[in-house]
Amino acid sequence: MAVIPTNGVGEADPWTHTTLPGVEHLSLADRGGVPVADTHLEPSWRPDEDIVAAANLTALARSVGCREYEELHAWSDSNRAEFWAAMVERLGIVFEHPPDRVLDVSQGAENAVWFPGARLNIVASCFTGDPAAVALRFSSGEVLGELTYGELRSRVDEIANGLVRLGCGLESRIAIAMPMTIESVFAYLAVIAIGGAVVSIADSFAAEEIATRLRITGADTVITQDIVRRTGKTLPMYAKVVEAGAERIITVDTGGGIDLRSGDLWWRDLLGETSEFTPMVTEAAHRINILFSSGTTGDPKAITWSQLTPIKAATDGHLHQDIHPDDVVAWPTNLGWMMGPWLIFASLLNGATMALHDDAPTAESFVRFVAEAGVTVLGVVPSIVAAWRSQGSLDGADWSQVRVISSTGEASNAEDMGWLMERLGAPVIEYCGGTEIGGGYIAGTVVQPAVAGTFSTPALGIGITLLDEEGNETDNGEVFLIPPSIGLSTELLNRDHAAVYYEGVPDIGLPLRRHGDQMERLPGGHYRAHGRVDDTMNLGGIKVSSAEIERALHDIPGVAETAAIAVAPPGGGPSQLVVYAVPEPGFEDTATWREAMQNAVRSHLNPLFKIHDVIPIDALPRTASAKVMRRSLRSTYTAGQRSGAP
């Protein structure tokens, strides 16, 4: 455990007043920080003086004249333009043509324009450092490989040249549906370099869901691989993309022994032109990535990232995960989840090394990889930590070099995260946000104590408030964001963006943006997540709507209608999927439903979605307008959990 700095009289300073080095003590009671003496929450980790002194937050605070974290956070909230200008400078963002100014809010904060007049290609900013520094460290079977920044740049240039030869270029939409491999990173950066937009598709999705994403975006080219190997199993990948109806497929050959359709290409067909590629320069608002996040009905929302969204990802990594150039950053993820692009930009724009493993994070090989690759900043999903703890995966592992852990994707179980912090002597930075933010709105820092399963601060450079159902500020309610901030989406390809995020929000005298999470502000200033307030759920780190689950279940024999909900387990932690089902008249064999429903979800949506429980019900509760009252079902199920009989 970290040593607590002393106050000079032999007594440990409990960080009731948290300071940056060499400045006076000031209270953290109002924003972000936690005066530990005022709360019953016991920190599992506290920073020592050396950690605080070396933190990126400390350097930023000194550069802008702030004396401690509370003051820095308040400054970043009140001075958005100055904050983001400072971060652009710290990250070394390269503008081919400088902006006219930092921020234009003449059309309102919800329609803010950042760096108007600027022209750039964000890929160029990924390669401003030492070309001999290590950019990628990766596992390939039992072999640990690495590429320098110079070598990574050459591979990206080669793929960019190959894509241009195929006729791809400005405004091309090219899907990537494959695991997080070095080839996926080459392809991702190359598509952006040529002025195109990556269509991000998780490799775990069924063919039907891949087809939906291709249809929404109009992507005519898909980059994938032949097969996927996971925990000893071989899973089809190219075959799924073919079934999804992709027009043209570029396939990485991993030795799966498949044959390609006429007109499809092997990855090696892109190779050959090694001359330097000059990235296509466009305006700051140019689309570089289309990702997906479920709404409450219909198709998933198609969210676009601009050239500036990576700045939000890299800023969070710089300040909240405290990524430095000598760090090695690993996060089990893929490009279909926002944390895949986040990992690329948070690593490369901070000059760090990105670490990629070619198997599941619960495999023994991943535990070895973290040690052998020298991972110092490790991202996790709570369910992964639960598996490590229950299976004894870390017994005998030497992860002493890991100095920061960060958790996102699901609500954390406090016991699991407390165990991990005690095991590694490192903080868990809880991190919550969204695809439409490009990062987080609430997190932790390495200059504050870490309380297991909670957040210690709203993210820097963005504002939040919690409101109850009547629109009043509360300590336990729905999260609303207070724009402007770099990273906030400005368009949806298949929805009315203004209607989704701004229409009907409460009037509290400030511009508000709907987000949909429920948070509780705890005594002393920590926050705890309580899932979603709408009909969206987060399963295994992937957002999915109740409507999508229910649509996948519509052909189950004997089922008249269903309602899918997500519930938190009694001890906290990742959400569990529960299905209420109304039987058709005379149907009694409901015991077969669970297996049939699991198979349907696996084949139509995603095999990672696990059904926890199926509850037969005579009729679904509805409002006067016939809408299903899923919130009522959640309350009923939760009450049943407490009594032992849902």
Side-chain angles (χ1 to χ4, degrees):
M1 300 291 286
V3 178
I4 303 170
T6 63
N7 60 15
V9 293
E11 180 181 352
D13 181 350
W15 283 64
T16 301
H17 304 290
T18 302
T19 71
L20 300 175
V23 297
E24 296 179 2
H25 288 61
L26 293 173
S27 173
L28 279 175
D30 296 326
R31 289 179 184 264
V34 180
V36 175
D38 296 337
T39 176
H40 297 298
L41 300 174
E42 182 63 31
S44 296
W45 177 91
R46 298 175 187 266
D48 63 24
E49 293 174 337
D50 291 341
I51 289 172
V52 176
N56 287 326
L57 275 170
T58 302
L60 175 63
R62 285 173 171 163
S63 70
V64 299
C66 292
R67 298 181 296 166
E68 44 77 52
Y69 180 74
E70 180 190 18
E71 187 180 359
L72 177 65
H73 185 275
W75 172 81
S76 79
D77 192 8
S78 302
N79 301 275
R80 305 286 179 88
E82 291 88 343
F83 170 79
W84 287 107
M87 290 313 304
V88 162
E89 182 177 355
R90 285 187 65 82
L91 294 171
I93 302 302
V94 178
F95 292 110
E96 188 71 20
H97 185 280
D100 301 328
R101 54 193 180 281
V102 175
L103 175 61
D104 179 359
V105 290
S106 59
Q107 301 302 309
E110 63 274 25
N111 297 305
V113 179
W114 292 92
F115 299 106
R119 292 182 64 81
L120 73 156
N121 190 297
I122 194 63
V123 170
S125 298
C126 294
F127 297 104
T128 58
D130 181 2
V134 178
L136 275 172
R137 197 162 284 158
F138 56 94
S139 61
S140 180
E142 295 297 318
V143 178
L144 187 67
E146 63 182 33
L147 291 172
T148 66
Y149 272 84
E151 291 168 332
L152 174 59
R153 176 67 185 269
S154 295
R155 301 289 182 89
V156 172
D157 288 349
E158 187 175 17
I159 300 304
N161 283 316
L163 290 172
V164 170
R165 286 200 310 273
L166 291 180
C168 302
L170 189 66
E171 306 295 347
S172 290
R173 295 181 179 180
I174 301 173
I176 301 178
M178 59 191 298
M180 194 76 176
T181 63
I182 57 172
E183 289 86 2
S184 72
V185 174
F186 302 161
Y188 183 86
L189 294 173
V191 171
I192 297 171
I194 67 173
V198 175
V199 176
S200 291
I201 301 177
D203 63 286
S204 58
F205 274 124
E208 185 176 333
E209 290 300 301
I210 296 174
T212 296
R213 285 150 177 78
L214 297 180
R215 170 179 55 80
I216 291 171
T217 60
D220 59 6
T221 299
V222 181
I223 299 174
T224 188
Q225 64 187 52
D226 51 1
I227 60 172
V228 175
R229 296 178 178 88
R230 282 288 179 274
T231 60
K233 298 177 182 179
T234 299
L235 307 171
M237 194 67 239
Y238 173 78
K240 280 201 301 184
V241 178
V242 170
E243 185 182 347
E247 293 182 32
R248 178 172 61 183
I249 306 173
I250 301 168
T251 306
V252 175
D253 184 359
T254 70
I258 67 167
D259 295 320
L260 301 186
R261 303 177 307 181
S262 175
D264 290 343
L265 300 92
W266 290 109
W267 174 263
R268 56 180 172 267
D269 296 329
L270 293 181
L271 308 181
E273 178 58 62
T274 58
S275 62
E276 183 174 324
F277 183 87
T278 301
M280 176 68 68
V281 173
T282 60
E283 69 278 4
H286 180 75
R287 298 172 188 152
I288 64 167
N289 202 173
I290 303 169
L291 303 100
F292 298 87
S293 182
S294 287
T296 56
T297 60
D299 286 339
K301 295 179 296 186
I303 299 167
T304 64
W305 278 20
S306 77
Q307 301 242 48
L308 301 182
T309 314
I311 298 173
K312 166 60 174 171
T315 292
D316 284 0
H318 189 81
L319 299 178
H320 291 287
Q321 284 80 16
D322 196 45
I323 298 173
H324 294 255
D326 58 355
D327 277 314
V328 179
V329 187
W331 207 308
T333 183
N334 69 62
L335 294 176
W337 182 28
M338 63 152 281
M339 293 308 297
W342 187 99
L343 176 63
I344 291 174
F345 292 118
S347 299
L348 301 184
L349 292 180
N350 280 295
T353 300
M354 179 176 16
L356 304 177
H357 179 61
D358 64 354
D359 204 343
T362 52
E364 290 182 12
S365 57
F366 180 80
V367 176
R368 294 194 302 272
F369 174 76
V370 170
E372 294 171 359
V375 172
T376 58
V377 178
L378 176 62
V380 299
V381 173
S383 54
I384 295 173
V385 178
W388 289 342
R389 186 183 178 201
S390 64
Q391 297 167 11
S393 301
L394 304 191
D395 293 348
D398 181 6
W399 282 10
S400 56
Q401 82 287 348
V402 176
R403 66 176 190 87
V404 177
I405 311 149
S406 193
S407 175
T408 195
E410 302 169 324
S412 285
N413 178 284
E415 290 186 2
D416 289 339
M417 293 305 170
W419 165 82
L420 189 60
M421 282 192 270
E422 184 172 359
R423 176 95 191 200
L424 300 185
V428 171
I429 305 299
E430 295 287 348
Y431 188 51
C432 184
T435 306
E436 58 271 70
I437 300 175
Y441 66 84
I442 194 165
T445 73
V446 299
V447 304
Q448 297 168 285
V451 175
T454 72
F455 307 84
S456 62
T457 175
L460 282 90
I462 191 169
I464 68 169
T465 189
L466 308 183
L467 303 180
D468 63 20
E469 293 182 359
E470 285 72 45
N472 301 312
E473 293 192 83
T474 180
D475 284 333
N476 191 345
E478 183 174 353
V479 174
F480 287 85
L481 310 181
I482 304 173
S485 172
I486 283 182
L488 294 179
S489 63
T490 58
E491 68 167 352
L492 299 171
L493 295 186
N494 57 345
R495 297 281 203 286
D496 182 329
H497 188 274
V500 169
Y501 295 110
Y502 294 103
E503 190 175 278
V505 299
D507 182 1
I508 65 169
L510 291 171
L512 295 181
R513 175 180 167 124
R514 181 181 293 107
H515 188 69
D517 288 344
Q518 181 171 342
M519 282 278 170
E520 178 184 6
R521 184 167 39 238
L522 302 170
H526 272 149
Y527 294 77
R528 179 175 289 133
H530 290 295
R532 301 284 297 177
V533 298
D534 57 18
D535 292 329
T536 302
M537 57 188 78
N538 204 322
L539 302 175
I542 300 172
K543 280 186 181 178
V544 62
S545 71
S546 296
E548 289 174 279
I549 296 287
E550 292 156 11
R551 190 165 58 240
L553 303 178
H554 74 284
D555 287 333
I556 301 298
V559 175
E561 59 179 340
T562 59
I565 61 172
V567 297
S575 295
Q576 298 171 332
L577 173 58
V578 173
V579 177
Y580 279 85
V582 177
E584 293 177 343
F587 186 84
E588 297 181 356
D589 190 17
T590 59
T592 63
W593 277 351
R594 182 168 174 173
E595 182 178 358
M597 289 181 178
Q598 184 62 69
N599 289 336
V601 168
R602 180 182 296 113
S603 60
H604 293 297
L605 286 174
N606 195 315
L608 299 180
F609 298 161
K610 307 296 184 185
I611 295 178
H612 173 71
D613 204 356
V614 176
I615 309 295
I617 189 172
D618 292 337
L620 298 176
R622 296 182 182 274
T623 64
S625 60
K627 293 182 179 179
V628 175
M629 298 169 64
R630 296 185 183 87
R631 185 174 298 184
S632 174
L633 292 174
R634 279 193 292 270
S635 298
T636 300
Y637 191 88
T638 301
Q641 283 180 315
R642 289 194 295 265
S643 68

